[in-house]
Amino acid sequence: MQSRWNDTEAQSFIEAAEAKGQPAALGLRVYTSRLIGQEPDLVLHGGGNTSVKIMDAEGGPLIHVKGSGWDLGDIEAPGLPAMRLEPLLKTRDIPHMSDEDMVALLRANLLDQRAPTPSIEALLHAYMPHNFVDHTHATASLALADQSDMEPVMHEIYGDRVAFVPYVMPGYSLSHACNDALKQNPDVEGLWLAQHGLFTFADTARGSYELMIEFVTMAEDYLAANGAQVQPPQTNDRDAPEALTEALREALAAEGSLGEAPCLDFRSTPSIRTYLARENLEDLAQRGTATPDHVIRIKPFSMILDAEDGSKEIARALSDFAARYKAYFQRNAPHASEEKIMLDPLPRSVLVRGVGLYGVGANEKSAKIAGDLMEQTTRIVNAAEDYRRFTPLAEADLFDMEYWSLEQAKLRK
């Protein structure tokens, strides 16, 4: 990781914000959010979130938090909606709140009711006393976060500069868990979230951003020193196999859930082929996603094909995948706090032994997102397996994320 902070660029964002009547801090928040979002080894496709705390014209505290539907890589000020901070801080004394009530609270405190809904981690950002807070799902940090018993290793890497937070589902509970961790370790500069990602915070935009760069670099260096170097993003160097691609597209179209013309995003890189060549590929493909929000895009496991497979083999693989997905749903749905509606049982990622992988989607955008996330997953898993063992979220936790109550509410409507 290298810091891409540039004083001239930062000043241009300040001036652009002030020309629109916005505070300089919001301009800097947009700037460093973009620096984070444009680095694929920090976040991908809407992942991660950022915030800044400022005072309004009357001296009241506000917090701007990344809003739903915005990507950090090209975010503008409207993608960081402002909320009144004090009502959010009062929830630190409320031990439990439903997702629906939390979102209603966030929206009730928006200055502009037309603004997008703030991130489900908005309260976490609010509880941090620092002006700037950054959250990423960095490739190197996930290769270590997706391990068991990593708290001692985290302290070996960071000393007392970062506090460890065991996995808690994003949302209200995670906000309180991080608040508790910070109360116990008030001088830390970051939070390490098991199976999830990394937070940094500071009173300046540059300080928080460069802490993120420093801490991710330290994770990269630690992995490399332990024989598990994280390979950088690589260029696709092979074409999709035509016969297999067409047969797979036809088979997916016949299932119907992705429409009449499902899209496939093929890619093959040295890192992808290293992953596909692993002897335990069947096991790795079923273990889960590298960070919680990925499950919404790529489901909890992949489908595997051989390069020479034809229509019959693909149909059988799709049937087997659907059966496995339905069994996953039936194992976990009875333990949910509310009745769940099963999503379509079609894969969003297809691995082809020795060749490459496909991202699958109803349109080109969703297929590309799935492909990008799976490509990053292969690099995370390669490093995690070379270090020790890739140990992502447990199945029940993945299910809770994939079948999040707010997303289920949209289906019911």
Side-chain angles (χ1 to χ4, degrees):
M1 282 288 142
Q2 297 291 325
S3 171
R4 294 171 50 223
W5 175 277
N6 179 283
D7 286 336
T8 302
E9 289 180 356
Q11 183 60 34
S12 72
F13 276 83
I14 290 174
E15 292 171 357
E18 291 178 336
K20 298 175 184 177
Q22 300 165 354
L26 184 56
L28 288 173
R29 178 68 287 174
V30 171
Y31 174 53
T32 54
S33 295
R34 289 189 180 188
L35 292 183
I36 291 169
Q38 291 166 10
E39 172 50 70
D41 265 339
L42 288 178
V43 296
L44 283 173
H45 298 297
N49 38 69
T50 59
S51 67
V52 61
K53 299 176 183 73
I54 62 172
M55 293 292 180
D56 64 18
E58 287 74 42
L62 303 176
I63 183 171
H64 291 258
V65 183
K66 175 183 173 291
S68 175
W70 283 83
D71 193 299
L72 290 177
D74 56 7
I75 201 165
E76 301 278 358
L80 291 155
M83 293 175 286
R84 289 176 287 273
L85 179 59
E86 289 181 348
L88 306 187
L89 295 179
K90 292 178 181 178
T91 63
R92 288 180 296 190
D93 298 323
I94 303 174
H96 303 291
M97 184 180 290
S98 70
D99 290 333
E100 291 79 4
D101 288 345
M102 179 186 70
V103 171
L105 172 74
L106 297 177
R107 291 211 59 84
N109 285 285
L110 284 167
L111 268 61
D112 182 355
Q113 287 300 310
R114 299 167 298 177
T117 299
S119 163
I120 62 169
E121 290 165 352
L123 290 179
L124 195 167
H125 285 261
Y127 296 164
M128 302 296 104
H130 314 79
N131 291 335
F132 290 85
V133 180
D134 297 338
H135 172 43
T136 72
H137 302 146
T139 303
S141 64
L142 287 175
L144 290 169
D146 285 325
Q147 304 278 343
S148 60
D149 303 320
M150 284 300 289
E151 185 172 3
V153 174
M154 187 214 73
H155 289 301
E156 180 182 343
I157 299 170
Y158 300 111
D160 295 329
R161 298 179 67 188
V162 178
F164 181 84
V165 182
Y167 178 76
V168 180
M169 183 173 173
Y172 198 77
S173 296
L174 178 61
S175 300
H176 278 252
C178 290
N179 185 50
D180 291 343
L182 194 61
K183 284 194 297 185
Q184 295 171 20
N185 305 274
D187 297 325
V188 296
E189 301 166 283
L191 296 175
W192 176 283
L193 279 54
Q195 280 87 28
H196 187 142
L198 181 65
F199 274 86
T200 56
F201 27 76
D203 285 331
T204 66
R206 182 173 186 172
S208 186
Y209 165 69
E210 293 195 333
L211 275 173
M212 182 64 70
I213 299 302
E214 179 186 1
F215 288 166
V216 174
T217 300
M218 291 169 75
E220 291 175 334
D221 291 345
Y222 179 84
L223 285 165
N226 285 273
Q229 187 168 354
V230 177
Q231 293 298 318
Q234 298 162 331
T235 302
N236 185 54
D237 59 7
R238 292 190 183 180
D239 294 330
E242 291 184 10
L244 181 63
T245 301
E246 188 56 34
L248 177 58
R249 184 180 289 111
E250 290 178 359
L252 289 166
E255 295 292 336
S257 300
L258 294 175
E260 297 179 356
C263 292
L264 299 175
D265 183 278
F266 178 81
R267 55 198 61 203
S268 182
T269 67
S271 289
I272 289 173
R273 294 191 293 273
T274 296
Y275 171 81
L276 295 174
R278 290 186 175 274
E279 293 182 358
N280 59 343
L281 177 63
E282 294 272 357
D283 173 46
L284 289 174
Q286 309 304 316
R287 282 191 201 167
T289 60
T291 193
D293 66 324
H294 285 189
V295 73
I296 297 169
R297 305 279 200 175
I298 57 175
K299 294 193 177 288
F301 38 77
S302 299
M303 187 173 88
I304 303 177
L305 296 175
D306 289 309
E308 62 274 12
D309 283 347
S311 299
K312 287 184 178 180
E313 291 82 5
I314 293 172
R316 186 182 307 116
L318 285 171
S319 177
D320 290 345
F321 183 94
R324 189 162 58 250
Y325 188 82
K326 290 173 184 176
Y328 152 80
F329 179 84
Q330 291 164 359
R331 278 193 303 274
N332 292 283
H335 303 292
S337 59
E338 61 183 4
E339 185 178 356
K340 299 295 185 182
I341 301 171
M342 194 179 83
L343 305 175
D344 74 84
L346 289 180
R348 295 302 189 271
S349 60
V350 177
L351 312 177
V352 185
R353 288 187 182 88
V355 179
L357 63 83
Y358 293 94
V360 178
N363 52 56
E364 289 186 6
K365 180 179 179 180
S366 59
K368 183 181 185 302
I369 289 173
D372 285 344
L373 295 181
M374 275 306 303
E375 182 175 344
Q376 185 199 29
T377 296
T378 65
R379 295 188 298 114
I380 292 168
V381 173
N382 285 339
E385 286 284 291
D386 288 346
Y387 173 64
R388 287 186 186 171
R389 185 182 192 275
F390 176 60
T391 310
L393 279 176
E395 180 184 276
D397 293 315
L398 273 181
F399 181 87
D400 287 343
M401 192 68 192
E402 186 179 8
Y403 283 84
W404 186 36
S405 60
L406 294 178
E407 294 300 322
Q408 286 280 298
K410 293 179 185 177
L411 292 179
R412 291 190 182 93
K413 290 178 181 180

